[in-house]
Amino acid sequence: MKIKQNPIVVLGAGLGGLTVASELAENGRALTIVESNPCVGGLARSVGKNGFTFDLGGHRLYSNKKWVISKVEDILGHELRLVRRKSRILLAGKYWDYPPRPLSAIPSLGFREGMKILTSYVSSAARLNHASQNNASFEHWAVSRFGSRMYESFFRPYTEKACGLPCSEISAEWGMGRVGIRNLLEAARKAVLKRGNLPRTYASQFYYPEKGIGTIATKMAQRITQGNGRILLGCEVEEVRWDQEAIESVLINNGSSRVELAADQFISTIPITSLVSLMRPGITPAVLEAAANLKYRALVCILLIVNAESVTNDSWIYFPDKDIIFARVHEPKNWSEKLVEKGKTSLCVEILCDQDDGIWRATNELLTEKVISLLSRLQILNEDKVTFSFVERIPNAYPVFKLGHQNHLAKLLDYLSRFKNLHLLGRTGMFKYWSMDQVIEEGVLKAQDLMYGD
Ligand SMILES: Cc1cc2nc3c(=O)[nH]c(=O)nc-3n(C[C@H](O)[C@H](O)[C@H](O)COP(=O)(O)OP(=O)(O)OC[C@H]3O[C@@H](n4cnc5c(N)ncnc54)[C@H](O)[C@@H]3O)c2cc1C
């Protein structure tokens, strides 16, 4: 049965879908959001267990645009907490500031190592002029800007763990999004002298909602349903039906029945690769092949409740070492005391993997056991203090910027651009390395465009 209840259907209730929908619904536009998870928030949701709240990988809010922060405060109905950021990285058995503050690290590296870093930077900078036209891989990007010594010690190990690829196969775009500084000298100027607008990687404090990042999504959802919108949770979009140059409807499955929802406008925030594979009639093999070449990295979070006052002082600790199964750990209590029970603490341990690889398919018990015994070996945690644990698996967590991904993405965008009533949005929906503030900003702009554009 084909139903047309609302003129707008939004696919996905992450921050992208929720932002555009809340702007539209509050301005009287009738709409329906369809979300496959049983809750809103997508990557930026929080989960609660036994009185403890966890983000799925700590989410800090940071923006150079004041209106974005004010928008979030308006949604929450109160001011955000300002949290001091202190992060470290464990390299060769020693903890360092993270992100690397190259020149300030030199005294602790020692004179010899400091000179090696500077010499390798100077020789790489000299090559940069000749090689800038051919600046395609992350390896090239990082070596030419920071020198081979810094690249090998700081950038390479974590990047390869994060992306699951050698740096020579990762696009330079990853560096521009993730590192956010142009070279060693700029890093020194920004991090040591603290002048100018800091790139987000180097921000020394961030905003955070006291009851977890997921409260932004739940408050947006309230606004949508109090406005002119409805949210269908636990409903998977199974087909996107089109004719000529328009999307006509989506087929959704709530686990017990299927319904076809028709609308005039469709906003998609689901992975762009899923979107093209759900098109009915099916699309050309060349576009499907391009989609098959775009990959998202998945995440498994091991969440631990710990019977101790405190475990770390950090916002995050990064673990690039290949022998350590996890990439990052954070202690929610250091972000807000309201995320834990009094006198106790918790940890969120992030393991990056590919969907359906050995880690993704490993049992919860095996992963939890490995993580706890490693944390104990690293003297971060006494394993007897863990009183409860659970595991969350998150698909499509990071777009993987493999060399050449821009060409594959361009093919998908070109194909989808024929549908005049289809709008793509969000990090997952656009295959962008966007943080929450960028997704929120794009969501607001998209709503304005739909309401007031030509
Ligand atoms: C580990 C981690 C840490 C991060 N830390 C930060 C941080 O510190 N600061 C920051 O600003 N940003 C951070 N981010 C980025 C931030 O999470 C994202 O920018 C933002 O949440 C993306 O929102 P979105 O709506 O674009 O995508 P998503 O949240 O992915 O939303 C897409 C939604 O579509 C749904 N969906 C998918 N397929 C279907 C289907 N077939 N039918 C129906 N629904 C479907 C999904 O369930 C999901 O809810 C982090 C991300 C990760 C993974």
PDB file of all heavy atoms in Angstrom, residues 125-148:
ATOM      1  N   ALA A 125      60.732  19.965   3.354  1.00  0.00           N
ATOM      2  CA  ALA A 125      60.158  21.241   2.906  1.00  0.00           C
ATOM      3  C   ALA A 125      60.815  21.684   1.613  1.00  0.00           C
ATOM      4  O   ALA A 125      60.168  22.244   0.730  1.00  0.00           O
ATOM      5  CB  ALA A 125      60.335  22.295   3.986  1.00  0.00           C
ATOM      6  N   ALA A 126      62.131  21.385   1.472  1.00  0.00           N
ATOM      7  CA  ALA A 126      62.825  21.770   0.245  1.00  0.00           C
ATOM      8  C   ALA A 126      62.256  21.010  -0.948  1.00  0.00           C
ATOM      9  O   ALA A 126      62.129  21.539  -2.042  1.00  0.00           O
ATOM     10  CB  ALA A 126      64.314  21.469   0.387  1.00  0.00           C
ATOM     11  N   ARG A 127      61.855  19.724  -0.707  1.00  0.00           N
ATOM     12  CA  ARG A 127      61.303  18.927  -1.804  1.00  0.00           C
ATOM     13  C   ARG A 127      59.866  19.317  -2.120  1.00  0.00           C
ATOM     14  O   ARG A 127      59.374  19.077  -3.204  1.00  0.00           O
ATOM     15  CB  ARG A 127      61.338  17.443  -1.431  1.00  0.00           C
ATOM     16  CG  ARG A 127      62.664  16.803  -1.744  1.00  0.00           C
ATOM     17  CD  ARG A 127      62.620  15.314  -1.447  1.00  0.00           C
ATOM     18  NE  ARG A 127      62.667  15.064  -0.008  1.00  0.00           N
ATOM     19  CZ  ARG A 127      61.806  14.299   0.638  1.00  0.00           C
ATOM     20  NH1 ARG A 127      60.822  13.727   0.021  1.00  0.00           N
ATOM     21  NH2 ARG A 127      61.914  14.115   1.939  1.00  0.00           N
ATOM     22  N   LEU A 128      59.183  19.918  -1.146  1.00  0.00           N
ATOM     23  CA  LEU A 128      57.745  20.198  -1.298  1.00  0.00           C
ATOM     24  C   LEU A 128      57.434  21.012  -2.542  1.00  0.00           C
ATOM     25  O   LEU A 128      56.508  20.699  -3.281  1.00  0.00           O
ATOM     26  CB  LEU A 128      57.228  20.927  -0.052  1.00  0.00           C
ATOM     27  CG  LEU A 128      55.774  21.380  -0.078  1.00  0.00           C
ATOM     28  CD1 LEU A 128      54.852  20.170  -0.146  1.00  0.00           C
ATOM     29  CD2 LEU A 128      55.458  22.208   1.149  1.00  0.00           C
ATOM     30  N   ASN A 129      58.277  22.053  -2.830  1.00  0.00           N
ATOM     31  CA  ASN A 129      58.005  22.902  -3.983  1.00  0.00           C
ATOM     32  C   ASN A 129      57.967  22.092  -5.268  1.00  0.00           C
ATOM     33  O   ASN A 129      57.151  22.310  -6.127  1.00  0.00           O
ATOM     34  CB  ASN A 129      59.097  23.975  -4.114  1.00  0.00           C
ATOM     35  CG  ASN A 129      58.913  24.996  -3.020  1.00  0.00           C
ATOM     36  OD1 ASN A 129      57.819  25.113  -2.478  1.00  0.00           O
ATOM     37  ND2 ASN A 129      59.981  25.696  -2.690  1.00  0.00           N
ATOM     38  N   HIS A 130      58.906  21.113  -5.369  1.00  0.00           N
ATOM     39  CA  HIS A 130      58.964  20.325  -6.598  1.00  0.00           C
ATOM     40  C   HIS A 130      57.828  19.320  -6.667  1.00  0.00           C
ATOM     41  O   HIS A 130      57.412  18.940  -7.741  1.00  0.00           O
ATOM     42  CB  HIS A 130      60.290  19.542  -6.661  1.00  0.00           C
ATOM     43  CG  HIS A 130      61.462  20.441  -6.489  1.00  0.00           C
ATOM     44  ND1 HIS A 130      61.848  21.313  -7.476  1.00  0.00           N
ATOM     45  CD2 HIS A 130      62.302  20.630  -5.440  1.00  0.00           C
ATOM     46  CE1 HIS A 130      62.908  22.003  -7.028  1.00  0.00           C
ATOM     47  NE2 HIS A 130      63.180  21.608  -5.808  1.00  0.00           N
ATOM     48  N   ALA A 131      57.374  18.883  -5.498  1.00  0.00           N
ATOM     49  CA  ALA A 131      56.446  17.756  -5.515  1.00  0.00           C
ATOM     50  C   ALA A 131      54.996  18.138  -5.267  1.00  0.00           C
ATOM     51  O   ALA A 131      54.133  17.291  -5.301  1.00  0.00           O
ATOM     52  CB  ALA A 131      56.878  16.762  -4.448  1.00  0.00           C
ATOM     53  N   SER A 132      54.708  19.447  -5.060  1.00  0.00           N
ATOM     54  CA  SER A 132      53.363  19.810  -4.612  1.00  0.00           C
ATOM     55  C   SER A 132      52.267  19.448  -5.613  1.00  0.00           C
ATOM     56  O   SER A 132      51.138  19.208  -5.239  1.00  0.00           O
ATOM     57  CB  SER A 132      53.300  21.290  -4.269  1.00  0.00           C
ATOM     58  OG  SER A 132      53.700  22.023  -5.388  1.00  0.00           O
ATOM     59  N   GLN A 133      52.620  19.387  -6.917  1.00  0.00           N
ATOM     60  CA  GLN A 133      51.593  19.039  -7.906  1.00  0.00           C
ATOM     61  C   GLN A 133      51.174  17.573  -7.773  1.00  0.00           C
ATOM     62  O   GLN A 133      50.123  17.169  -8.229  1.00  0.00           O
ATOM     63  CB  GLN A 133      52.144  19.245  -9.340  1.00  0.00           C
ATOM     64  CG  GLN A 133      52.480  20.674  -9.679  1.00  0.00           C
ATOM     65  CD  GLN A 133      51.294  21.599  -9.444  1.00  0.00           C
ATOM     66  OE1 GLN A 133      50.187  21.303  -9.862  1.00  0.00           O
ATOM     67  NE2 GLN A 133      51.526  22.703  -8.761  1.00  0.00           N
ATOM     68  N   ASN A 134      52.056  16.810  -7.156  1.00  0.00           N
ATOM     69  CA  ASN A 134      51.811  15.378  -7.118  1.00  0.00           C
ATOM     70  C   ASN A 134      51.505  14.922  -5.684  1.00  0.00           C
ATOM     71  O   ASN A 134      51.920  13.881  -5.244  1.00  0.00           O
ATOM     72  CB  ASN A 134      53.090  14.699  -7.641  1.00  0.00           C
ATOM     73  CG  ASN A 134      52.850  13.261  -7.964  1.00  0.00           C
ATOM     74  OD1 ASN A 134      51.701  12.886  -8.170  1.00  0.00           O
ATOM     75  ND2 ASN A 134      53.912  12.481  -7.991  1.00  0.00           N
ATOM     76  N   ASN A 135      50.754  15.792  -5.001  1.00  0.00           N
ATOM     77  CA  ASN A 135      50.612  15.652  -3.555  1.00  0.00           C
ATOM     78  C   ASN A 135      49.399  14.806  -3.199  1.00  0.00           C
ATOM     79  O   ASN A 135      48.482  15.271  -2.554  1.00  0.00           O
ATOM     80  CB  ASN A 135      50.457  17.085  -3.008  1.00  0.00           C
ATOM     81  CG  ASN A 135      50.723  17.156  -1.537  1.00  0.00           C
ATOM     82  OD1 ASN A 135      51.099  16.157  -0.934  1.00  0.00           O
ATOM     83  ND2 ASN A 135      50.503  18.308  -0.972  1.00  0.00           N
ATOM     84  N   ALA A 136      49.377  13.560  -3.654  1.00  0.00           N
ATOM     85  CA  ALA A 136      48.110  12.837  -3.582  1.00  0.00           C
ATOM     86  C   ALA A 136      47.926  11.973  -2.342  1.00  0.00           C
ATOM     87  O   ALA A 136      46.849  11.958  -1.779  1.00  0.00           O
ATOM     88  CB  ALA A 136      47.949  11.990  -4.832  1.00  0.00           C
ATOM     89  N   SER A 137      48.960  11.251  -1.906  1.00  0.00           N
ATOM     90  CA  SER A 137      48.720  10.317  -0.805  1.00  0.00           C
ATOM     91  C   SER A 137      48.946  11.005   0.544  1.00  0.00           C
ATOM     92  O   SER A 137      49.636  12.020   0.639  1.00  0.00           O
ATOM     93  CB  SER A 137      49.647   9.102  -0.911  1.00  0.00           C
ATOM     94  OG  SER A 137      50.964   9.479  -0.560  1.00  0.00           O
ATOM     95  N   PHE A 138      48.370  10.406   1.592  1.00  0.00           N
ATOM     96  CA  PHE A 138      48.572  10.953   2.937  1.00  0.00           C
ATOM     97  C   PHE A 138      50.059  10.889   3.298  1.00  0.00           C
ATOM     98  O   PHE A 138      50.595  11.797   3.925  1.00  0.00           O
ATOM     99  CB  PHE A 138      47.741  10.189   3.972  1.00  0.00           C
ATOM    100  CG  PHE A 138      47.993  10.671   5.376  1.00  0.00           C
ATOM    101  CD1 PHE A 138      47.441  11.848   5.829  1.00  0.00           C
ATOM    102  CD2 PHE A 138      48.836   9.961   6.235  1.00  0.00           C
ATOM    103  CE1 PHE A 138      47.707  12.319   7.113  1.00  0.00           C
ATOM    104  CE2 PHE A 138      49.104  10.426   7.517  1.00  0.00           C
ATOM    105  CZ  PHE A 138      48.533  11.605   7.951  1.00  0.00           C
ATOM    106  N   GLU A 139      50.714   9.798   2.864  1.00  0.00           N
ATOM    107  CA  GLU A 139      52.145   9.666   3.152  1.00  0.00           C
ATOM    108  C   GLU A 139      52.910  10.870   2.602  1.00  0.00           C
ATOM    109  O   GLU A 139      53.672  11.521   3.311  1.00  0.00           O
ATOM    110  CB  GLU A 139      52.686   8.382   2.522  1.00  0.00           C
ATOM    111  CG  GLU A 139      54.156   8.181   2.746  1.00  0.00           C
ATOM    112  CD  GLU A 139      54.606   6.836   2.210  1.00  0.00           C
ATOM    113  OE1 GLU A 139      54.827   6.717   0.991  1.00  0.00           O
ATOM    114  OE2 GLU A 139      54.706   5.899   3.015  1.00  0.00           O
ATOM    115  N   HIS A 140      52.642  11.176   1.339  1.00  0.00           N
ATOM    116  CA  HIS A 140      53.331  12.300   0.707  1.00  0.00           C
ATOM    117  C   HIS A 140      52.973  13.608   1.414  1.00  0.00           C
ATOM    118  O   HIS A 140      53.828  14.446   1.704  1.00  0.00           O
ATOM    119  CB  HIS A 140      52.952  12.379  -0.771  1.00  0.00           C
ATOM    120  CG  HIS A 140      53.671  13.468  -1.492  1.00  0.00           C
ATOM    121  ND1 HIS A 140      54.788  13.243  -2.246  1.00  0.00           N
ATOM    122  CD2 HIS A 140      53.462  14.801  -1.505  1.00  0.00           C
ATOM    123  CE1 HIS A 140      55.229  14.385  -2.704  1.00  0.00           C
ATOM    124  NE2 HIS A 140      54.434  15.352  -2.285  1.00  0.00           N
ATOM    125  N   TRP A 141      51.690  13.757   1.686  1.00  0.00           N
ATOM    126  CA  TRP A 141      51.184  14.975   2.339  1.00  0.00           C
ATOM    127  C   TRP A 141      51.905  15.204   3.672  1.00  0.00           C
ATOM    128  O   TRP A 141      52.395  16.289   3.957  1.00  0.00           O
ATOM    129  CB  TRP A 141      49.672  14.818   2.553  1.00  0.00           C
ATOM    130  CG  TRP A 141      48.987  16.016   3.106  1.00  0.00           C
ATOM    131  CD1 TRP A 141      48.406  17.024   2.399  1.00  0.00           C
ATOM    132  CD2 TRP A 141      48.788  16.337   4.494  1.00  0.00           C
ATOM    133  NE1 TRP A 141      47.859  17.956   3.257  1.00  0.00           N
ATOM    134  CE2 TRP A 141      48.087  17.560   4.545  1.00  0.00           C
ATOM    135  CE3 TRP A 141      49.133  15.715   5.696  1.00  0.00           C
ATOM    136  CZ2 TRP A 141      47.720  18.171   5.739  1.00  0.00           C
ATOM    137  CZ3 TRP A 141      48.780  16.326   6.891  1.00  0.00           C
ATOM    138  CH2 TRP A 141      48.086  17.539   6.907  1.00  0.00           C
ATOM    139  N   ALA A 142      51.967  14.130   4.484  1.00  0.00           N
ATOM    140  CA  ALA A 142      52.531  14.287   5.831  1.00  0.00           C
ATOM    141  C   ALA A 142      54.051  14.451   5.786  1.00  0.00           C
ATOM    142  O   ALA A 142      54.607  15.300   6.493  1.00  0.00           O
ATOM    143  CB  ALA A 142      52.133  13.096   6.695  1.00  0.00           C
ATOM    144  N   VAL A 143      54.735  13.656   4.943  1.00  0.00           N
ATOM    145  CA  VAL A 143      56.203  13.748   4.888  1.00  0.00           C
ATOM    146  C   VAL A 143      56.617  15.127   4.400  1.00  0.00           C
ATOM    147  O   VAL A 143      57.523  15.764   4.946  1.00  0.00           O
ATOM    148  CB  VAL A 143      56.803  12.645   3.977  1.00  0.00           C
ATOM    149  CG1 VAL A 143      58.300  12.876   3.757  1.00  0.00           C
ATOM    150  CG2 VAL A 143      56.581  11.274   4.592  1.00  0.00           C
ATOM    151  N   SER A 144      55.911  15.624   3.356  1.00  0.00           N
ATOM    152  CA  SER A 144      56.342  16.898   2.782  1.00  0.00           C
ATOM    153  C   SER A 144      56.040  18.072   3.717  1.00  0.00           C
ATOM    154  O   SER A 144      56.654  19.122   3.599  1.00  0.00           O
ATOM    155  CB  SER A 144      55.703  17.110   1.411  1.00  0.00           C
ATOM    156  OG  SER A 144      54.302  17.054   1.527  1.00  0.00           O
ATOM    157  N   ARG A 145      55.130  17.887   4.643  1.00  0.00           N
ATOM    158  CA  ARG A 145      54.796  18.996   5.546  1.00  0.00           C
ATOM    159  C   ARG A 145      55.450  18.900   6.923  1.00  0.00           C
ATOM    160  O   ARG A 145      55.649  19.904   7.599  1.00  0.00           O
ATOM    161  CB  ARG A 145      53.284  19.074   5.720  1.00  0.00           C
ATOM    162  CG  ARG A 145      52.639  19.754   4.543  1.00  0.00           C
ATOM    163  CD  ARG A 145      51.155  19.455   4.441  1.00  0.00           C
ATOM    164  NE  ARG A 145      50.588  20.233   3.347  1.00  0.00           N
ATOM    165  CZ  ARG A 145      50.722  19.918   2.064  1.00  0.00           C
ATOM    166  NH1 ARG A 145      51.408  18.844   1.734  1.00  0.00           N
ATOM    167  NH2 ARG A 145      50.196  20.671   1.120  1.00  0.00           N
ATOM    168  N   PHE A 146      55.715  17.675   7.365  1.00  0.00           N
ATOM    169  CA  PHE A 146      56.229  17.513   8.726  1.00  0.00           C
ATOM    170  C   PHE A 146      57.584  16.811   8.775  1.00  0.00           C
ATOM    171  O   PHE A 146      58.175  16.699   9.839  1.00  0.00           O
ATOM    172  CB  PHE A 146      55.214  16.739   9.573  1.00  0.00           C
ATOM    173  CG  PHE A 146      53.899  17.456   9.693  1.00  0.00           C
ATOM    174  CD1 PHE A 146      52.873  17.211   8.799  1.00  0.00           C
ATOM    175  CD2 PHE A 146      53.711  18.426  10.661  1.00  0.00           C
ATOM    176  CE1 PHE A 146      51.677  17.901   8.877  1.00  0.00           C
ATOM    177  CE2 PHE A 146      52.523  19.121  10.752  1.00  0.00           C
ATOM    178  CZ  PHE A 146      51.500  18.862   9.860  1.00  0.00           C
ATOM    179  N   GLY A 147      58.044  16.316   7.623  1.00  0.00           N
ATOM    180  CA  GLY A 147      59.318  15.602   7.607  1.00  0.00           C
ATOM    181  C   GLY A 147      59.087  14.118   7.871  1.00  0.00           C
ATOM    182  O   GLY A 147      58.111  13.725   8.522  1.00  0.00           O
ATOM    183  N   SER A 148      60.019  13.283   7.371  1.00  0.00           N
ATOM    184  CA  SER A 148      59.798  11.840   7.460  1.00  0.00           C
ATOM    185  C   SER A 148      59.871  11.342   8.912  1.00  0.00           C
ATOM    186  O   SER A 148      59.197  10.403   9.287  1.00  0.00           O
ATOM    187  CB  SER A 148      60.807  11.101   6.592  1.00  0.00           C
ATOM    188  OG  SER A 148      62.085  11.537   6.932  1.00  0.00           O
TER     189      SER A 148
END
